Amino acid sequence: MASGQSVVRTILFLLCLVSTAVSHSLIQLVSGDRKIRIDDDLYCDSWRLSVENNNAGYWSTVPSRCERFVQDYMNGERYSSDSEVVAEDSLAFVKTVEIAGDGRDVWVFDIDETLLSNLPYYEVHGFGSETYNETSWDSWVNLAEAPALPASLSLYKELEQLGFKIFLLTGRDEYQRNVTEKNLLSAGYTNWERLILRGTSDEGKPAIVYKSEKRAELQDEGYRIHGSSGDQWSDLLGFAVAKRSFKLPNPMYYIA
């Protein structure tokens, strides 16, 4: 009998050791996975800062380890908050501008990810983790269903009331004019002075060259470009730049 009890105690002891070892391994696994997630979020937050500051230079897709981070950022409160801060900074500058009243005081807006949000499209296409596909993008544009970015719409309306002439300068092509106008109107944008799209003579030009040339043409017409808003550095840099340029957040893609 004593021998049987000894065997039972030994078995129970071994089971306890195995259970402890398994539990310890699971804790290590969970802790390791949590550490990986924290490390990725920390890296990706720094990567996004590098992108927004234009330190990263050209990049084609979101790093694989940052796909979830970008998705969470774009769908979360931080993206909305960051966009609102950009609009507030823009309005703070606007208050320093004296409007001449001659119709020559101008603000230039990009469209995609500046006035209109294409999140419904990028939710289906990996939030920048997929290589750009012109066919699927054009199909989305033709739907004319992109919603307004709320902070940008508020800024747009404020500028309009203050007497700025608003020019829309986009990398979209001329054949997309009708659907672009339809989308802008349905999203709440009205009374722009001119919608500028890429024509045949602009084909193949880098965005920074194309947009600089179009701003230069406006200046040659006598317009004073006080402000410019865009989600890409190529919307804002180059020549014939605005007195103040305001970069909206966009960690999903980069256009040179």
Side-chain angles (χ1 to χ4, degrees):
M1 183 70 178
S3 176
Q5 291 177 342
S6 177
V7 170
V8 170
R9 285 196 297 269
T10 301
I11 292 173
L12 290 175
F13 176 71
L14 291 173
L15 288 174
C16 183
L17 288 177
V18 170
S19 177
T20 301
V22 170
S23 298
H24 183 66
S25 296
L26 289 174
I27 290 172
Q28 285 184 320
L29 180 62
V30 171
S31 298
D33 182 58
R34 182 172 179 273
K35 182 177 186 300
I36 289 172
R37 292 199 304 270
I38 292 173
D39 287 349
D40 280 350
D41 285 349
L42 182 61
Y43 167 80
C44 294
D45 202 19
S46 297
W47 172 81
R48 189 183 71 84
L49 177 63
S50 179
V51 164
E52 297 297 1
N53 287 334
N54 205 27
N55 291 332
Y58 176 80
W59 53 278
S60 57
T61 57
V62 171
S64 58
R65 66 189 292 191
C66 298
E67 291 175 16
R68 192 196 64 177
F69 175 89
V70 172
Q71 177 179 348
D72 291 346
Y73 171 78
M74 295 303 298
N75 283 327
E77 295 179 350
R78 290 181 62 195
Y79 175 58
S80 298
S81 178
D82 288 348
S83 300
E84 289 169 1
V85 168
V86 175
E88 290 170 3
D89 289 342
S90 302
L91 284 174
F93 165 69
V94 166
K95 293 176 181 178
T96 71
V97 177
E98 293 186 12
I99 303 297
D102 58 359
R104 296 293 175 177
D105 296 297
V106 166
W107 198 282
V108 177
F109 282 99
D110 170 56
I111 292 180
D112 294 300
E113 272 57 67
T114 300
L115 294 181
L116 298 178
S117 170
N118 296 295
L119 271 181
Y121 171 82
Y122 285 104
E123 284 174 350
V124 179
H125 294 279
F127 294 91
S129 63
E130 297 180 10
T131 303
Y132 171 72
N133 183 287
E134 185 175 0
T135 301
S136 65
W137 169 251
D138 286 349
S139 296
W140 161 251
V141 170
N142 288 336
L143 295 176
E145 294 178 353
L149 275 165
S152 295
L153 181 58
S154 296
L155 172 62
Y156 184 104
K157 296 295 187 181
E158 185 73 19
L159 291 169
E160 184 183 356
Q161 292 178 2
L162 291 171
F164 281 88
K165 294 292 183 181
I166 297 176
F167 286 79
L168 311 182
L169 176 53
T170 175
R172 295 187 180 192
D173 293 311
E174 183 61 41
Y175 70 85
Q176 296 170 314
R177 177 175 294 277
N178 290 340
V179 293
T180 300
E181 290 180 341
K182 177 183 177 182
N183 198 158
L184 288 165
L185 290 169
S186 67
Y189 297 101
T190 58
N191 301 323
W192 57 82
E193 184 70 12
R194 194 180 305 169
L195 170 59
I196 305 170
L197 302 99
R198 279 185 184 264
T200 53
S201 62
D202 302 310
E203 292 179 3
K205 292 179 181 177
I208 194 169
V209 174
Y210 154 68
K211 294 201 170 186
S212 292
E213 290 178 348
K214 297 306 178 183
R215 288 194 301 267
E217 290 174 9
L218 294 180
Q219 289 184 341
D220 290 343
E221 293 178 38
Y223 290 107
R224 297 178 292 273
I225 305 176
H226 293 285
S228 183
S229 300
D231 67 293
Q232 300 291 315
W233 285 102
S234 55
D235 296 331
L236 310 171
L237 301 179
F239 54 90
V241 297
K243 292 180 181 177
R244 283 289 307 276
S245 296
F246 297 89
K247 169 75 167 62
L248 280 85
N250 183 1
M252 296 188 298
Y253 58 85
Y254 179 91
I255 298 175

